[in-house]
Structure formats: C-alpha cells, structure tokens
Amino acid sequence: MPNLEHPAYPAAALLHLEGLVPCRESQVSMLLSIFGERQQFSFPSIFIYGHTSSGKTYVMQTLLKTLQLPHVFVNCVECFTSRLLLEEILIQLQSCSCETEPTSPVPCDTFNDFVRLFKQALVSRGLQDQTLYIVLDRAEQLREMEANILPAFLRLQELTDSNVTVVLLSEIVWELFRPNVGCFDPLTLYFPDYSIGHLQKILSQNHPPEYTADFYAAYINILLGVFYMVCRDLKELRHLAALNFSKYCEPVVRGEANERDTRKLWKNIEPHLKKAMQTVYLREISSSQWERLQHDGGEPGQLKGLSAHTHVELPYYSKFLLIAAYLASYNPVRTDKRFFLKHHGKIKKTNFMKKHEKTSNHLLGPKPFPLDRLLAILYSIVDKRVAPTANIFSQESSTRGKKCKFPLLQMKIVSVAT
Amino acid sequence: MSDNAAARGDMSTCSVSKGCFVFKPSTKKRKLSQSTAHDFGIRNDDSEDTELRFVTCQSLWNQIKSETEKVQEDLNKQLLDNLMNFLSRFHSEFQEKTAEWTCRMKFREIPTAALVLGVNVTDHDLTFRSVSDFLQNNITPYIALLEAKDCPGIKNLMQKLMGQLMNCYVDVDSLEDEDYVQVSQNRIRCSMSSLIKWYESVTKKTDSETPSKKRTTSTHWQSPPVVVIFKDMESFTTKVLQDFIVICSQHIHELPLVLIFGIATSPMIIHRLLPHSVSSLLCIELFQSLSCKDHLSTIIDKLLLTAQFPFKLGEKVLQVLINIFLYHDFSVQNFIKGFQLCIVEHFYSQPLSVLCCQLADLQKRVHSLSHDQCENIRRLPSFRRYVEEQESGKQVALLTTDNFLKEETQKLLEDLHVYHENYVSVLRCLHVFTSSLPKYPLGKQIRELHCACLENQVWETEEYESSLQLARMLNKSDLVTMLQQCMEILLSSSGKEFDKTVEKLKKFLTEFENLEAEAFQEQDVSISSQKELQKKTDLYHLQKTLLELKESRRSKKLTKFEMLRFEVVDYIDSLVRKYLVPADRRTLHEILYFNTAAVLRGHLNAAPRTALHTALNNPHWYLKNQALKCDGGSISNKAPDICIVYKLHLECGRLINLVDWLEAFSTVVMAGEEPNADTASSDQMDDIIHARFIRAVSELELLGFIKPSKQKTDHVARLTWGGC
C-alpha cells in the first residue's frame, strides 16, 4: 500500500490525510512532492483539471487544512468581478493567521494595488518564510475577467517576489485557457474520473450507524448497478443513496428479510431505483416530494413531473401569430405565393425546389423575415378578417421575444404545422 | 379646448357637446374635489347633475373594485396555502440541523417553487403582489422581487437583490435599528459573504430581543427564510440564473434561501434554461395558479350576473370585452380595466346615468330631476316607444307633466331592476340545462348564454330550438338533478315572483318520483316484445314484426315519463320567454345598460394604421372642415399638404420619382389658383411650393410611409402595401 511519505510533515498527520482522501493517494503524494517543505519555494502556479466531482476541490481543501498550510480558498463564480476576487483574497489573508475581526476592506481595483496590498498583508501576518497557497476554484471564470488577471495570477510569485503558489482548479483543459504568447505555463495536473470501484469504496465509507458496513456496501453495489450508466457524479450518487436507503431497509425493518438476504432486498429496491432514475435524478420530481412519496407508500405515478405540464394555452391571435412566425422563418419566400394565395398559377414540379432547398429547412434553423411578411401570412391563415389593431401589433413584439426564447412553443408549432 | 367647449355648452344646454376631450380615468384617484367634478361634466351649471353623477360613478367603482379584489383573494387562497406549506416544510428542515445520517449525506438543495402563471402576463403583477404581501405578513420580511430587465448580469442581480433585502428590514417599534438599515449600499461589498453577514446580524438581533418585543414580530418565523422571486423566469439569461444558483447552493447552509420562479409558459422551461448540473442543485416543486378563464368566469359571475350593482353592460360591449380577452391577451386585469372604462364612459356621456343608482336612492333622485333631465328622458328611444304604446291621455301627461313623468320613470326603473334580478335567476336555470347538452348548442359557459340572451330574443334562434330538442331527450336522473339545481337557484334568488315557479318545479319532482312505480309495468311490456323477437328465426317474419313494432311505436301514445319530460321542457321554455327578454327591449334600458361598443372599441382596440390612413386620405373625418369635403377619388387643393402628397403617392408603384411627384403636387396645389402671367412671382411661388412639398415628403418619411432608395437617388421607396 503506497503510504504517503514526506519528511517535512509528521507521519500521523499524513496517515490521517490518507484516510480522508481515498482513491486519490497518488495525486496527493504528487502534490506534496511539488509543494516541498513549508519554507521552500514551490512551483509558481499549478493547474489542476478533471471532470465534475473528481475530488479536485475536496482534495485541495483537505490537504491544506490537515497539514495546516497557510492558504486562501476562493470560488471564482462567487467573485464575479476582478475587484471582488482580489478583495476576497485580501480579506481571507487578513483573517487566516489571526482571529481578529477583519477591518473594513481596503478598496482594491487593480492588480497593481493588489500586489502592493498583498505584500503588506504578508509582512503583517508574518508569512514571509512559508509558502502561501492561493487556490482559485472554478478558474475558467477568470477568462471572462480583465485580460491581465489570469497571466498575472500565473506569475504572482514573480510579481510579488514572495513565497506564494497559485493553484487553479478547473473542469476544462489548459489549452482552452492559454491567453496568448508569453504567458507563463503552469504545471498541469490531471485528476482522472473515479472508476466504479473507487465510487463503491468512497460511497461505502459513510455507512449509517444503525447498519453494518457490509449491508450498506451491498446497497451501494445495487445502486451503482442501476445508476452508474447514467451518472458518475459522486455528489449526486451520494444524494441518491441517501434518498433511497430507507426503501432498501424496509424489508429488514418489517422483519421480512435479514440483512444477508441480498436477493430479496435487490428485488425490493431495483424497480424503485429505476423509477428514481426517471424522476428524481432528472429533477422531474423534487427529492422532498420523492421522500414523501416513499414515506406514504404511494405510487410515483400520482405525481406529475415537470415535463407533464407541457400544455400552454394561448389567445386566438397569439396562436396564429406564432404559427405565422414559424412559417415565415422556415419557408422560403418564393413559396409564399404558392402556399397562401388561392390562384397562384401552375408551378413546374421538377424545378420548383432548388437544390439547396431540398435539405430540410429545419436543419438550417430559422431565418429572419420582414415584419410585413409575418403579417401577410397571418392575414392569410386566419379564417376571419383580422382588423389591424394596436393589440395585434403589441403582441408581435412579445411574440418575437418568445420566438427565440421558447423553443418549446416552436416545437408545439412543428406538430401543428406538419 | 375646454374653454371652447364650455362656451359651446353654455350656448346649448340641452345636449352634451360632442367635442373631443381627453378623459383621464386617473382623476378618480384624486380626492373628490370640485374641479374634478367639473372636468367630468364640463359645463358650469348643474342641470345634468354632473357632480352627483361623478360621485355615483366613484362610489360604484370603489364597490366593484373591492369586490374584484375579494374575488382575487379567494381564488389565490389555495395557491398561497400551498406555498406556505412548502416553505414551512423546508424551514423546519433548516432549523433542525440534525446530525442524523440521511441529513448529513443528502445534498442540501435550494427549495424552489415554480409558479406556473399562464400566458396572461399583465395579471402576473397582481399575483406576485399578493404572494409577496402574504409572505411578508405571515412568514418572512426578507423578500426580493427580481425582474429580468433589471438583471442583465450577475452583478446587477446581486446589487438589486441586496438593495431590496437590506432595506426591507423595517420593524414597527424598533427605531434603534434605523441606523443599521441606513447603511448605504455602495459601502457594502456586493457579494454573498456580506449578505450572509447581514443575515446573521439581523437574525441575531431579533433573537436577542426581549420576549415582549418578540410578540410584535411573532407573525414571522424564527430565522425566517430569504425569498427571492424571479418574476419572469423565461426572460432571464441562462448564465445569470446558473451563476446565481451555483453561488446560492454554496451558501445554503448559512442562508436559508428560497427561490420562486414565475413561469408564463410551461415548467419544462426550467430544464431548458438550466443544465442538469445546475438543476440538480434545486428542489423544485410546482404550483399552479388559477386559470385565467376560470378567473374571468368568476369575475363575470360576481360583477355582471348579480343584482348588486345597478350598472350593467349591454351585449355589444360585453362581446367586445370578451373578444379582447379571448383573442388577444387572456388578461383579467385588462377586462376589469375595460369594465372600468365602461362605467366611466357611461356616467360621463349619459346625463341620465344619475339614475343608475341603488334602489334605495332612486326615489329621491328621480324627484330632484331638473326639467332638462326630464326632456332627456323623453328623448330616449326606448321611452318614445313606450309612450307610443300608451293611450292618448297618458301620452299627453307623459310628454307634458314633469311630475307624472317622474312617477312613471321611478316605476319603470324599479321594474327594470326587478327584471334584471329575475333575468339572472332564469338565465342560471337555463344554463343548468344547456351546459349539459351534447355539443353545447348555446355555449358551455354562462357568459355565452348571457350574450345570446342579450343579443336578441333567444327563443327565436336555431340554437335554442335545437337545444330544446336535445333537452327533450334527456334521461330521467339528469332531468331530476337539473330540476333540483334550478330549484336551489330560484330559492336563493331574492326575486319574489318565483314562489309559484318553485311550487311548479316541486310538483314536477314529485311526479317523477311517482313514475318509479309505473316504470316496472312498461319494462314488462318491452321485455315480452323482445322475447317475441327472439323466437322468430325466419328472416321474413322478423322483418315483418320489426315493421309492426315500428308502426306501433309511431302510433303509440307517449309514455308518462315522456309526457312529463315534454311538460317540463315546455315550462322551462315559457320561463325563458317570460323572463329572458333582451334588455334593449325594456323601457329606459339606456339608463342602466351601457351599450356604445364603438367608443369602447376605439379606446381598447384601436387601429392606428386605419386611423392614420383615414386622417391622410379623408381629412374631413377629423378636421370637420366643410371645404375639405371631397367626393370620390378627387384631391382637393384645400387639404393639408401632407394629405395631397399622401394621396398622390398612393397612385405610385414601389419606387416614386420625386420630380414627377413634385410636378403632380404643384398641379394639384395650383389647380384652384388663378393662372398668373407674372413670371417673377410664379418663380417665387415655385420655391414656396417646392418647400411645402419637401416638408410634406419628410413628414411622410417620418410616419414611415416612404424611405430614400439606394437604387436610384432621385427616387424614394414606398414602404406600405400596395407598392408592388
């Protein structure tokens, strides 16, 4: 068993750490060797990427916490402007070493200010002789901020001339980040997805106190058998495991089966999990509704999911406006005369459709159209005479909004029109 | 303009001037004052009771308004209760903070209520207001209402959210908190962490308050949830929503957030807007608000089909309002606004509307009518019809003696009120019958039946005939339940005339009960004939017996049940003929019924293009200048320049040559002038005409009829239809 070993840290702490990060030992030991000892300079910036819930954030957080390394942890989604981000780092820096209430934050608008204030903070906290780690979670958001932010963070060690390492966590590869030439390339590190064995191991770790670990592991095994095909998200799986566990235990609680009666338990839970996959997992039914259903022993059929309510009732003219908009955006202009006029004359069938029009217009997507055309089509598809009143004109503007926003309505019209 | 009108009003006091005045419905909102009453009636002397009309109109509208609000409240109750349950469930979960295994393992989702509100967007505001009021009163003071147009980015959204939340902490008797509330928004960092800090400090404060103080805020829960309402979820950009939800889910342990999505279309939109990774952070439950059609039915039921209000809508007006609802917007608010406009218009334009009041006030008002008003009554078409039917002595008295007229008017108006009461009851009874017939020949909803009855004598229509035929085929159990329903309706109505009717219905019901016993015998007969049929196997004989049976059935006397059924239907028919006379056949209906649909249509369903065309094509229509009156297609040179230019451009194709156009213009303009030989002055004239032409053309461009063309520089392109 590859134990984590590093001369700089006490063995007990490392052992504890190893227990906390199952299936990620190799990554942790790699990180440890990059980090080096407390006072040693580390690599200026490290880029860690991996799929959703492959343990990036969790591993970083546990590692830094258990080894009590000075660090700042920032989520870039939450700090949606560069100013918020920089100030957040400074605030955390102020409060990380001493427990006093943070004084009102100094406004920090530019990276220049940040470097200056950052140096001051380091000195005042007495952190010069230790490596400070700045972890930027969801680092892909940095690309949307000012152009200088990302390159500057990558070279923060150089800019501040102090012992600091920036760790970027992201779900996308570094190639999508690289701003332009001359940018410092960070050390990239990949966190692979958990395999089914890993998931089994991690999920079984936290078994409920009332039941044995084996019993719970068997349950996880069944759960993974159903859900592994569609979902490898650890968080989601854990959530689903917690939601459905009470149902799994039902035969045991009622005394119909004992904990080893796996076949009976499997028969009981399997259809239930399949149903959960179609409803709760897709968020058709909320998890609280699911729990209540389980509790009351009702059939999930009673509860209609979100997708069941697809029927939208529209006023008469709105309906026709939408249809007209649909026709106008998918039909070529030339065909209007043929489709909407009563006496349109004869058209030769052979050459009627040009070659490029033979590909389905739906594949090409909707095309823009002049307003007058929309109205002309409207007047021809509505049976009665339509008075061109202000009400219709005002609906047009809202319909145009709807057209791009509600593909749903478009879908409805597809079925109406064809 | 109003001065002018006043002068005209003075000159001829007998009729309301027909001028065009801007009438602002908002005047009602101001406190009743002399000046608004003047606006209402324009003239200075009070021969037409303008002030009284104004006051009546106001009080009537206030009654109606409170009634509609009550209806709304009742209809929303279900929704609000469900919301309350939803919130309380999550709230207890948040407060428990148990160390239980499932709670630890489960992912903490953000509770989200998806309110499906329907496409009638104009009504949503009211629903949201009632929701937020309800939450504010019962659950939590922390509510933020967000609109998509205010939140183009996550930054704006956070700013808006924090601004609304941090200012909302207003406690009735804790003035010392004021300085806290006054923290200016600029100083607060616009981030989730400062929001959490704020929440902690606010809740700590309420917790540490003395118990006596707590009682004042006891309506709110402890550590109340923070409710964020997205009014128009569909219009938010995906990114903003996603970011916000991701941020919230990180802090859900510290801040009990609840999201409410207002959805106009279908809840599917949530999955379309949010990817699974984000929607899995939410715990979405669906809430359906009442359907707008049900809402409208209730409103019509409570406002129109009731004897509570003296003011009534005529058939055409009602049809206009309902059509706008069904064809254009599904908006109940707009329907009520339209109804309000009807009230205002009625009281404004009809001097006799002063008599459109509750029965209790009627006598006083009738007796204080001025002579002018009596003349107004005599001028009413329905009253003239009435007079013609009277004997000559009474005719003279009605036309000459004011006092006699007043007596008669009072009687007639009282009759009209009674008529309406009876009308409503019988209408409901008829609806009980027609609403269960196959294919609904007279409409499914009572409003359709109501319109049909108001339009003309319903018993003369084909639909009525066919529905009677269908009613004659109803089975017994249906018929009995319908009769019972009718009886309940008639019993609950306040009309006194229905005692006899109820008796009659009761008699019918007992007769139906008596039929039970006799039914057995008939069954025997039919069974025996059936048996006979089964015996014969020979085709010829079978045919023969079948023919015989048919003959006998045709000639056979009707069974007792059938006779009774005919009797019932005939009786209902007689009720309809007696009570469902259209309102415009009644004398003095003009006083209580508003029926000028054209005005309403002009206001609510205006046709700007048509109006523009009329104004340009036929300026006489608006300007009322005799000189402009023209016949056919000829162009008068007296018309405003723009009209001439417009008419000329109608004759052109898609591209118009400006030089030709100018030529034609100057020909038309010069047509009336004396041919002038003086070249100098004609040159000058040309310049003036040129300038006038240019101005007119640029005005047309401004109105959007033409635009400069790039194909030919000296041409302009027509933008309206007809240019092809």
Side-chain angles (χ1 to χ4, degrees):
Chain A
M1 201 165 159
N3 267 323
L4 291 178
E5 275 178 22
H6 202 277
Y9 306 101
L14 285 177
L15 203 65
H16 178 59
L17 179 66
E18 196 180 322
L20 285 176
V21 287
C23 314
R24 282 282 172 260
E25 291 89 357
S26 64
Q27 281 80 13
V28 171
S29 76
M30 174 71 145
L31 278 173
L32 278 179
S33 50
I34 296 168
F35 286 177
E37 290 174 31
R38 271 169 194 278
Q39 72 284 1
Q40 286 170 344
F41 272 70
S42 170
F43 208 76
S45 47
I46 303 169
F47 180 81
I48 299 176
Y49 70 102
H51 205 262
T52 321
S53 78
S54 49
K56 302 175 296 286
T57 313
Y58 175 74
V59 165
M60 271 323 280
Q61 228 158 5
T62 4
L63 175 66
L64 295 170
K65 261 191 196 140
T66 33
L67 298 183
Q68 290 173 333
L69 299 169
H71 67 276
V72 170
F73 209 99
V74 187
N75 188 331
C76 295
V77 179
E78 207 181 315
C79 305
F80 35 84
T81 63
S82 60
R83 183 183 162 166
L84 276 177
L85 179 69
L86 300 178
E87 284 180 1
E88 181 68 29
I89 293 173
L90 290 175
I91 291 171
Q92 285 198 24
L93 193 60
Q94 278 176 358
S95 57
C96 82
S97 50
C98 64
E99 292 305 311
T100 52
E101 274 291 296
T103 48
S104 61
V106 202
C108 173
D109 280 323
T110 62
F111 212 87
N112 205 12
D113 286 341
F114 173 72
V115 170
R116 183 172 52 82
L117 293 166
F118 183 75
K119 274 194 205 161
Q120 281 174 13
L122 276 188
V123 173
S124 64
R125 302 291 157 228
L127 292 170
Q128 300 101 311
D129 51 353
Q130 292 186 40
T131 315
L132 176 77
Y133 297 94
I134 297 178
V135 186
L136 301 175
D137 200 356
R138 295 259 196 166
E140 61 268 13
Q141 298 285 331
L142 289 178
R143 295 181 302 171
E144 279 153 42
M145 295 179 188
E146 287 87 335
N148 69 333
I149 297 285
L150 181 60
F153 267 120
L154 293 172
R155 285 176 185 274
L156 193 62
Q157 197 175 72
E158 188 184 324
L159 288 171
T160 55
D161 198 18
S162 48
N163 193 354
V164 60
T165 293
V166 177
V167 183
L168 303 169
L169 305 181
S170 176
E171 286 175 14
I172 56 178
V173 292
W174 171 246
E175 278 66 34
L176 294 170
F177 272 77
R178 188 176 288 145
N180 42 30
V181 279
C183 147
F184 184 85
D185 266 355
L187 186 73
T188 49
L189 208 65
Y190 176 59
F191 274 43
D193 282 352
Y194 290 115
S195 69
I196 187 162
H198 289 164
L199 287 174
Q200 168 85 38
K201 191 175 166 194
I202 297 166
L203 286 171
S204 318
Q205 226 177 19
N206 282 307
H207 64 91
E210 309 97 70
Y211 295 96
T212 60
D214 284 349
F215 179 68
Y216 191 67
Y219 166 64
I220 292 298
N221 197 11
I222 295 171
L223 184 90
L224 283 176
V226 175
F227 279 103
Y228 187 70
M229 293 297 286
V230 292
C231 171
R232 299 179 183 193
D233 187 333
L234 187 60
K235 244 190 278 177
E236 186 71 25
L237 283 171
R238 195 200 307 239
H239 181 67
L240 287 166
L243 274 185
N244 295 306
F245 187 60
S246 64
K247 178 82 180 174
Y248 183 70
C249 298
E250 241 173 39
V252 179
V253 173
R254 281 199 302 245
E256 290 169 5
N258 65 13
E259 292 195 9
R260 305 205 163 276
D261 215 345
T262 37
R263 182 160 174 75
K264 208 166 197 177
L265 291 172
W266 179 78
K267 263 201 157 166
N268 174 45
I269 192 72
E270 213 252 348
H272 187 72
L273 287 180
K274 286 225 164 115
K275 222 166 262 167
M277 187 160 75
Q278 287 156 12
T279 53
V280 191
Y281 172 64
L282 294 176
R283 294 301 186 276
E284 286 284 305
I285 292 178
S286 77
S287 33
S288 73
Q289 278 171 325
W290 180 254
E291 275 188 318
R292 256 179 297 147
L293 263 183
Q294 246 174 39
H295 192 257
D296 305 339
E299 272 293 299
Q302 304 160 354
L303 247 175
K304 277 207 250 168
L306 292 184
S307 314
H309 302 257
T310 44
H311 180 70
V312 179
E313 223 177 336
L314 286 175
Y316 187 81
Y317 284 139
S318 317
K319 231 178 289 179
F320 278 101
L321 263 175
L322 269 177
I323 295 173
Y326 176 81
L327 293 173
S329 57
Y330 281 108
N331 284 350
V333 185
R334 294 183 312 110
T335 58
D336 281 359
K337 207 173 164 193
R338 181 182 154 91
F339 290 153
F340 302 117
L341 279 187
K342 271 197 181 124
H343 309 290
H344 51 74
K346 268 207 168 151
I347 298 170
K348 272 182 214 154
K349 218 174 186 185
T350 43
N351 278 338
F352 175 61
M353 291 298 250
K354 280 183 190 159
K355 209 171 191 183
H356 68 270
E357 278 168 3
K358 278 182 184 151
T359 50
S360 169
N361 277 318
H362 287 108
L363 293 177
L364 300 171
K367 290 178 203 68
F369 51 85
L371 190 62
D372 278 349
R373 197 177 150 219
L374 170 77
L375 282 177
I377 295 179
L378 172 76
Y379 293 141
S380 87
I381 57 175
V382 178
D383 266 349
K384 296 175 221 164
R385 227 185 115 255
V386 187
T389 58
N391 268 329
I392 288 194
F393 297 143
S394 71
Q395 275 182 51
E396 268 159 32
S397 55
S398 55
T399 335
R400 262 174 287 159
K402 269 181 213 148
K403 211 164 53 66
C404 44
K405 270 168 223 146
F406 307 160
L408 155 87
L409 289 174
Q410 283 199 346
M411 293 307 290
K412 276 178 72 75
I413 288 161
V414 173
S415 56
V416 172
T418 50
Chain B
M1 186 95 185
S2 108
D3 282 355
N4 183 15
R8 263 209 286 172
D10 282 344
M11 276 194 302
S12 57
T13 39
C14 48
S15 77
V16 176
S17 57
K18 233 183 128 190
C20 163
F21 302 102
V22 179
F23 183 80
K24 293 195 187 103
S26 61
T27 47
K28 291 171 287 56
K29 281 184 190 136
R30 273 185 257 154
K31 277 279 159 254
L32 178 67
S33 70
Q34 198 73 11
S35 65
T36 45
H38 271 291
D39 285 347
F40 201 77
I42 305 149
R43 70 202 57 207
N44 297 322
D45 60 343
D46 201 30
S47 66
E48 290 186 348
D49 309 299
T50 48
E51 237 168 274
L52 194 56
R53 260 154 62 197
F54 180 67
V55 175
T56 323
C57 173
Q58 273 207 316
S59 72
L60 179 67
W61 169 242
N62 286 337
Q63 277 174 34
I64 287 175
K65 203 169 137 208
S66 65
E67 183 72 32
T68 54
E69 275 162 9
K70 219 172 76 195
V71 169
Q72 184 109 32
E73 217 169 88
D74 291 348
L75 291 174
N76 272 333
K77 201 170 174 306
Q78 177 78 38
L79 173 74
L80 295 177
D81 285 349
N82 287 346
L83 257 183
M84 174 102 156
N85 277 338
F86 172 75
L87 287 174
S88 65
R89 220 168 39 235
F90 280 98
H91 185 66
S92 56
E93 220 168 86
F94 180 80
Q95 280 215 312
E96 273 172 24
K97 284 184 179 152
T98 46
E100 212 184 309
W101 175 80
T102 36
C103 288
R104 265 191 302 126
M105 296 301 289
K106 239 183 354 185
F107 184 71
R108 176 62 69 71
E109 293 166 312
I110 311 171
T112 306
L115 286 188
V116 182
L117 295 164
V119 289
N120 44 336
V121 185
T122 31
D123 293 352
H124 291 185
D125 262 347
L126 212 69
T127 317
F128 280 122
R129 209 181 310 144
S130 68
V131 165
S132 72
D133 282 351
F134 173 79
L135 295 179
Q136 204 126 41
N137 293 334
N138 297 307
I139 299 172
T140 170
Y142 313 121
I143 295 170
L145 271 162
L146 299 176
E147 260 180 290
K149 65 172 194 277
D150 299 330
C151 312
I154 181 79
K155 194 173 157 191
N156 313 73
L157 187 143
M158 288 301 280
Q159 259 169 5
K160 201 92 196 154
L161 175 71
M162 294 181 71
Q164 287 192 23
L165 284 179
M166 297 191 175
N167 285 331
C168 76
Y169 185 76
V170 186
D171 212 323
V172 193
D173 57 349
S174 53
L175 285 168
E176 64 268 37
D177 293 342
E178 289 270 287
D179 49 351
Y180 179 80
V181 177
Q182 295 306 318
V183 180
S184 80
Q185 200 200 314
N186 290 339
R187 271 188 50 223
I188 304 170
R189 293 183 63 247
C190 205
S191 71
M192 211 59 187
S193 51
S194 44
L195 195 63
I196 291 164
K197 243 174 255 159
W198 162 82
Y199 182 77
E200 273 169 6
S201 64
V202 168
T203 42
K204 213 181 282 167
K205 206 163 276 178
T206 35
D207 284 349
S208 62
E209 273 175 0
T210 51
S212 66
K213 255 189 162 179
K214 214 179 247 172
R215 205 160 298 141
T216 58
T217 54
S218 63
T219 48
H220 293 151
W221 295 343
Q222 273 213 326
S223 61
V226 176
V227 180
V228 184
I229 302 177
F230 293 86
K231 273 183 167 180
D232 40 354
M233 199 244 186
E234 284 102 337
S235 319
F236 278 89
T237 47
T238 330
K239 187 163 183 332
V240 171
L241 272 182
Q242 284 180 25
D243 283 356
F244 182 69
I245 292 169
V246 169
I247 295 172
C248 289
S249 78
Q250 308 228 309
H251 296 283
I252 189 71
H253 290 273
E254 299 136 286
L255 190 69
L257 265 169
V258 176
L259 306 182
I260 296 182
F261 291 153
I263 295 173
T265 49
S266 136
M268 287 267 279
I269 199 76
I270 298 177
H271 289 318
R272 274 174 204 284
L273 279 177
L274 305 174
H276 182 255
S277 61
V278 177
S279 66
S280 64
L281 304 174
L282 302 175
C283 182
I284 307 162
E285 276 189 37
L286 208 61
F287 298 88
Q288 198 103 31
S289 83
L290 63 146
S291 104
C292 49
K293 284 186 178 169
D294 294 347
H295 193 173
L296 181 77
S297 305
T298 330
I299 290 284
I300 287 182
D301 207 55
K302 288 271 152 69
L303 293 189
L304 301 180
L305 301 178
T306 167
Q308 200 183 345
F309 308 111
F311 174 78
K312 277 117 198 163
L313 291 183
E315 187 265 335
K316 288 207 189 81
V317 171
L318 184 59
Q319 203 68 59
V320 167
L321 288 181
I322 289 178
N323 278 352
I324 290 177
F325 177 86
L326 290 178
Y327 280 60
H328 291 289
D329 54 6
F330 273 174
S331 164
V332 179
Q333 285 317 304
N334 282 354
F335 183 85
I336 294 171
K337 283 263 154 63
F339 188 61
Q340 184 184 3
L341 183 71
C342 292
I343 296 174
V344 170
E345 189 64 39
H346 180 65
F347 281 92
Y348 170 67
S349 59
Q350 175 61 267
L352 289 170
S353 58
V354 69
L355 299 178
C356 183
C357 59
Q358 301 292 346
L359 265 179
D361 303 333
L362 188 63
Q363 193 183 7
K364 219 175 79 194
R365 291 200 180 182
V366 168
H367 282 279
S368 57
L369 283 182
S370 64
H371 175 69
D372 288 336
Q373 286 282 53
C374 291
E375 285 300 315
N376 279 338
I377 294 179
R378 285 178 189 127
R379 235 176 263 127
L380 291 178
S382 70
F383 187 75
R384 273 197 229 154
R385 233 173 19 227
Y386 172 75
V387 170
E388 276 160 25
E389 285 162 14
Q390 306 304 314
E391 57 193 86
S392 58
K394 201 176 174 190
Q395 275 184 356
V396 173
L398 278 174
L399 292 178
T400 51
T401 324
D402 277 359
N403 280 336
F404 183 68
L405 175 78
K406 283 175 187 172
E407 298 280 329
E408 198 66 18
T409 305
Q410 190 187 343
K411 214 179 82 216
L412 286 169
L413 279 176
E414 276 164 8
D415 281 354
L416 202 56
H417 278 275
V418 172
Y419 152 78
H420 182 73
E421 248 171 68
N422 296 339
Y423 172 88
V424 170
S425 305
V426 175
L427 185 76
R428 283 183 203 279
C429 288
L430 183 61
H431 182 240
V432 167
F433 276 87
T434 56
S435 63
S436 59
L437 296 176
K439 283 196 189 162
Y440 312 105
L442 277 171
K444 201 175 176 182
Q445 306 275 351
I446 196 164
R447 59 164 186 264
E448 294 163 84
L449 190 64
H450 181 48
C451 282
C453 291
L454 280 179
E455 195 180 2
N456 45 34
Q457 290 168 337
V458 73
W459 54 87
E460 283 173 358
T461 59
E462 273 177 39
E463 291 87 3
Y464 181 76
E465 205 48 53
S466 66
S467 54
L468 274 196
Q469 296 240 306
L470 289 169
R472 289 197 184 103
M473 286 184 259
L474 285 169
N475 65 22
K476 203 180 96 185
S477 62
D478 281 356
L479 207 56
V480 169
T481 47
M482 280 176 201
L483 283 179
Q484 275 161 349
Q485 279 175 5
C486 287
M487 224 163 73
E488 276 163 30
I489 291 168
L490 293 179
L491 280 175
S492 63
S493 83
S494 49
K496 284 135 203 136
E497 288 182 37
F498 290 123
D499 294 344
K500 259 192 206 160
T501 319
V502 171
E503 284 296 311
K504 184 88 180 169
L505 290 181
K506 260 186 199 156
K507 215 185 90 204
F508 280 134
L509 281 173
T510 47
E511 277 179 49
F512 272 118
E513 268 171 40
N514 294 340
L515 273 180
E516 298 262 310
E518 292 160 36
F520 287 111
Q521 298 171 353
E522 275 176 48
Q523 264 182 4
D524 286 346
V525 174
S526 61
I527 285 170
S528 67
S529 69
Q530 290 250 315
K531 268 179 189 160
E532 230 168 281
L533 265 181
Q534 280 161 1
K535 259 186 263 168
K536 310 266 186 237
T537 45
D538 177 9
L539 188 66
Y540 172 72
H541 284 285
L542 180 74
Q543 224 166 14
K544 207 172 154 192
T545 22
L546 277 176
L547 273 175
E548 270 170 22
L549 263 177
K550 209 175 167 190
E551 272 306 291
S552 69
R553 212 169 273 169
R554 197 174 291 164
S555 59
K556 202 172 69 179
K557 262 187 73 184
L558 296 166
T559 61
K560 279 209 168 156
F561 166 66
E562 281 166 334
M563 296 226 297
L564 196 55
R565 191 163 60 183
F566 271 48
E567 232 176 286
V568 169
V569 174
D570 285 345
Y571 184 68
I572 296 291
D573 185 38
S574 73
L575 279 182
V576 168
R577 281 166 198 269
K578 186 172 173 198
Y579 291 108
L580 294 188
V581 186
D584 52 13
R585 306 285 169 106
R586 305 287 308 200
T587 314
L588 294 185
H589 71 89
E590 290 94 336
I591 295 178
L592 302 189
Y593 287 80
F594 177 68
N595 216 0
T596 32
V599 176
L600 196 67
R601 212 175 287 130
H603 282 304
L604 295 182
N605 206 2
R609 284 192 184 179
T610 322
L612 199 56
H613 178 77
T614 318
L616 293 173
N617 200 36
N618 185 12
H620 173 70
W621 180 266
Y622 286 108
L623 297 178
K624 305 286 180 215
N625 188 338
Q626 284 305 315
L628 295 177
K629 219 167 188 178
C630 58
D631 43 320
S634 71
I635 306 170
S636 152
N637 61 338
K638 300 280 193 317
D641 292 343
I642 188 171
C643 298
I644 299 172
V645 171
Y646 178 79
K647 276 199 168 180
L648 288 171
H649 114 287
L650 284 181
E651 293 161 8
C652 299
R654 202 180 67 80
L655 283 177
I656 307 169
N657 188 333
L658 276 172
V659 180
D660 293 350
W661 202 2
L662 171 64
E663 202 72 26
F665 178 74
S666 72
T667 319
V668 171
V669 173
M670 300 293 278
E673 318 264 306
E674 298 292 309
N676 205 332
D678 192 348
T679 47
S681 73
S682 83
D683 270 356
Q684 207 182 0
M685 199 59 146
D686 275 350
D687 280 351
I688 291 172
I689 287 174
H690 196 173
R692 279 167 63 185
F693 175 72
I694 295 289
R695 190 173 69 176
V697 167
S698 57
E699 277 169 355
L700 269 195
E701 192 183 339
L702 188 73
L703 288 173
F705 284 101
I706 52 167
K707 71 168 186 193
S709 151
K710 272 182 191 143
Q711 294 169 2
K712 292 179 182 171
T713 40
D714 57 343
H715 283 60
V716 288
R718 258 185 90 171
L719 293 173
T720 45
W721 296 333
C724 40

